[in-house]
Amino acid sequence: MVSGRSTVVVAKEQVSCDLAGEAAILNLKNGVYYGLDPVGARIWNLLQEPRIVNEIGEALLKEYDVESDRCESDLLALLQKLAAEGLIEVKDETAA
């Protein structure tokens, strides 16, 4: 489960590239390709180094005209999907 205090980072078993502002990701474990729109690609870019979810949300609020509640719910939903597909690693805030 991803929360605002979780630390997230891209998984090692993937490769990705920028496609005109969007992102294409290949999961090396299952051979499946994934695509992200420009906002998703920005989030993916932020995930290249371990980050706390709330920090990602704060960055998005500064860059995009979006309500705080919508930003948080959309961000958590995307991160849950990326985690479910094995594209990111999630470390709970209580993990050492």
Side-chain angles (χ1 to χ4, degrees), residues 33-93:
Y33 279 96
Y34 302 87
L36 295 174
D37 66 16
V39 176
R42 176 64 180 132
I43 294 167
W44 185 254
N45 185 270
L46 290 168
L47 293 170
Q48 299 305 306
E49 294 183 14
R51 296 197 191 265
I52 296 171
V53 173
N54 285 340
E55 292 174 357
I56 297 169
E58 289 171 15
L60 296 174
L61 287 171
K62 289 178 184 174
E63 295 176 32
Y64 297 96
D65 182 20
V66 62
E67 293 179 15
S68 179
D69 290 345
R70 169 114 192 243
C71 179
E72 180 181 1
S73 65
D74 288 356
L75 174 59
L76 290 174
L78 176 61
L79 294 175
Q80 285 289 123
K81 289 178 185 175
L82 293 173
E85 296 297 332
L87 298 174
I88 64 170
E89 297 173 7
V90 180
K91 295 185 176 100
D92 188 60
E93 64 270 15

